[in-house]
Structures are given as structure tokens and as C-alpha cells.
Amino acid sequence: MCLILTICAALAFSGVYFYQKKNSAVSKNVFATMLMFWAASLMWIMDGVASVLEGEGFFDLSVEDSILGAIIVASGMLVFAVLSFIQKRKTA
């Protein structure tokens, strides 16, 4: 479940990034957060492949994995908020 949540977050930040890029207003904060979520997604894809090689399922749909995914998404949003706060302090 954490893979599904991080891919959704990565897609959301990718959408925001490409929308900003189209309008020539790219934010480094959005780009950094997008890369963090894609890196986490890649990590969990490799974990899923390792699980399949061990004979288990690719997706772990347990409650614990859902909680882990929610914690990772919340942590990524917190990093985005801190980066945005730092950028606003620098420009003010």
C-alpha cells in the first residue's frame, strides 16, 4: 500500500511541476519533493520485486503498510512545507 500511496503523491507533484513548467514558474520545492516521492516509489518497486522473487505477492495491502505509506506521504508533505517556508523567508 505504501507503493500505491507514494506513486499517487509522485504523480500529483509531477502534475504540479509540469503545470508550473508550462507556465514558466517552476518551484525548486515542488521539483525536490517530486523527486523524493519518485525515489521512494522506486525503492518500494524494488522491494516488491524482491518479495515476488521470494514467493510473496508484489503488493502488501496490510494495515501496517497503509500506515507506513501515510507516514511517508505526511513526511514528504512536511519536507515540502519546510522547503517552502525557507524559500519564503529568503525572498522576504
Side-chain angles (χ1 to χ4, degrees), residues 40-52:
S41 299
L42 180 63
M43 177 186 69
W44 271 300
I45 288 171
M46 292 299 111
D47 184 51
V49 170
S51 295
V52 168

Side-chain angles (χ1 to χ4, degrees), residues 25-56:
V26 177
S27 170
K28 291 180 184 179
N29 306 332
V30 172
F31 182 70
T33 309
M34 176 190 72
L35 288 180
M36 288 187 329
F37 280 127
W38 278 120
S41 299
L42 180 63
M43 177 186 69
W44 271 300
I45 288 171
M46 292 299 111
D47 184 51
V49 170
S51 295
V52 168
L53 291 175
E54 292 175 357
E56 301 172 9

Side-chain angles (χ1 to χ4, degrees), residues 55-71:
E56 301 172 9
F58 185 77
F59 290 109
D60 182 8
L61 300 176
S62 65
V63 174
E64 292 85 11
D65 203 54
S66 299
I67 293 171
L68 176 62
I71 290 170

